[in-house]
Amino acid sequence: MTLEPFGARLRHAMDTRGPLCVGIDPHASLLTSWGLNDDIAGLERFTRTVVEALADRVAVLKPQSAFFERFGSRGIAVLETAVEEARAAGALVLMDAKRGDIGSTMGAYAATYLDKDSPLFSDAVTVSPYLGFGSLRPALDAAAVSGAGVFVLALTSNPEGAEVQRATAADGRSLAQLMLDHMAAENEGAAPLGSVGAVVGATLGDAGVNLAINGPLLAPGIGAQGATPADLPAVFGDAVGNVVPSVSRGVLRHGPDASGLREAAGRFADEVRSAVSGS
């Protein structure tokens, strides 16, 4: 059976568990800080600890695929298990893969992450639109069939992104705004929230674009990159209620103790609630 649309499932998870996404980013320095070796055993221990500590309480877990891919097939096997166990515990899984291609290749990426029969099926996946928004059609269509979501890069938190994302399209809009307008069209009429989200960095100050896309806004940059929950209203304005702040190192550095991870995630979730509500 097709799942309830991702936007509706995400809205419910944010309202009940708090609007927070925690990244699972097992890079070498973080494994070392946990006292683990940078090998498949360390990867497996790290990933299992994060999933067991957080999957029953945070709205979204976001594994970064590259940190698993670097270990080859054994790393992908760890990722498959993490996705399955996180979803079984009630977390929505956002696969941070940032895939972008054309034609049958984009279709294959869509089948990998958005087909319910795939071992890597996730509730949503990140994609890059800068081969043209139309190149994402295989992923958008696959997500609609399975009830999954797609998060499209719009204004990213890395400073280099501006040279492309702030460039001007033929009609005078920035490329980022052009992509956001495409997302808004995809989400038109969806309730309570569309399933096509945008990635907009929390470190941007005033984003300078119209973020009213009727979809979720994934906001990386909280914690180690310098943004705080208190910055969210200034960046996202009236759309702040649809923001899913993403924290990785700000939570993960409190491991390997599970209680430390839980306390850090809970603290960020409380700070986000307070910032969004204005209390």
Side-chain angles (χ1 to χ4, degrees), residues 260-273:
L261 296 171
R262 294 186 188 111
E263 289 170 6
R267 185 166 56 252
F268 273 110
D270 288 343
E271 290 176 4
V272 171
R273 284 193 192 96

Side-chain angles (χ1 to χ4, degrees), residues 66-129:
F67 291 118
F68 296 85
E69 293 173 30
R70 68 192 183 100
F71 291 102
S73 61
R74 294 178 300 166
I76 296 299
V78 173
L79 181 58
E80 290 176 2
T81 299
V83 170
E84 180 181 7
E85 293 182 351
R87 297 189 72 238
L92 297 176
V93 172
L94 168 56
M95 184 64 70
D96 196 357
K98 298 184 179 69
R99 300 303 192 223
D101 216 306
I102 60 173
S104 59
T105 307
M106 193 67 213
Y109 284 138
T112 301
Y113 303 110
L114 302 171
D115 185 323
K116 288 184 295 182
D117 293 327
S118 169
L120 284 172
F121 173 70
S122 303
D123 295 285
V125 65
T126 57
V127 295
S128 174

Side-chain angles (χ1 to χ4, degrees), residues 2-265:
T2 300
L3 295 168
E4 184 181 17
F6 172 74
R9 292 187 290 124
L10 177 61
R11 180 78 272 165
H12 176 73
M14 291 168 65
D15 290 345
T16 57
R17 292 184 169 207
L20 187 69
C21 168
V22 177
I24 305 178
D25 296 0
H27 50 76
S29 61
L30 194 51
L31 293 176
T32 299
S33 73
W34 278 34
L36 300 172
N37 293 328
D38 185 25
D39 56 19
I40 195 67
L43 175 73
E44 188 170 20
R45 176 70 177 275
F46 176 93
T47 305
R48 182 184 300 113
T49 299
V50 176
V51 170
E52 290 180 351
L54 299 178
D56 66 344
R57 62 194 62 217
V58 301
V60 183
L61 284 176
K62 182 174 68 67
Q64 169 48 259
S65 182
F67 291 118
F68 296 85
E69 293 173 30
R70 68 192 183 100
F71 291 102
S73 61
R74 294 178 300 166
I76 296 299
V78 173
L79 181 58
E80 290 176 2
T81 299
V83 170
E84 180 181 7
E85 293 182 351
R87 297 189 72 238
L92 297 176
V93 172
L94 168 56
M95 184 64 70
D96 196 357
K98 298 184 179 69
R99 300 303 192 223
D101 216 306
I102 60 173
S104 59
T105 307
M106 193 67 213
Y109 284 138
T112 301
Y113 303 110
L114 302 171
D115 185 323
K116 288 184 295 182
D117 293 327
S118 169
L120 284 172
F121 173 70
S122 303
D123 295 285
V125 65
T126 57
V127 295
S128 174
Y130 291 106
L131 287 173
F133 193 86
S135 68
L136 303 180
R137 182 51 54 192
L140 297 169
D141 290 348
V145 168
S146 64
V150 174
F151 281 88
V152 183
L153 302 183
L155 284 170
T156 53
S157 56
N158 63 307
E160 304 89 348
E163 66 182 78
V164 173
Q165 297 155 17
R166 297 288 190 182
T168 303
D171 63 2
R173 287 178 289 177
S174 68
L175 290 182
Q177 187 62 66
L178 179 61
M179 297 305 161
L180 288 162
D181 291 346
H182 280 301
M183 296 176 224
E186 295 291 326
N187 288 327
E188 186 175 1
L193 195 65
S195 296
V196 179
V199 180
V200 178
T203 57
L204 296 175
D206 181 356
V209 291
N210 180 5
L211 296 171
I213 65 168
N214 190 32
L217 302 165
L218 183 72
I222 300 289
Q225 293 186 49
T228 70
D231 296 322
L232 296 174
V235 178
F236 294 95
D238 292 342
V240 72
N242 293 336
V243 171
V244 189
S246 179
V247 181
S248 294
R249 283 170 288 176
V251 170
L252 300 178
R253 67 184 178 85
H254 294 279
D257 181 63
S259 64
L261 296 171
R262 294 186 188 111
E263 289 170 6

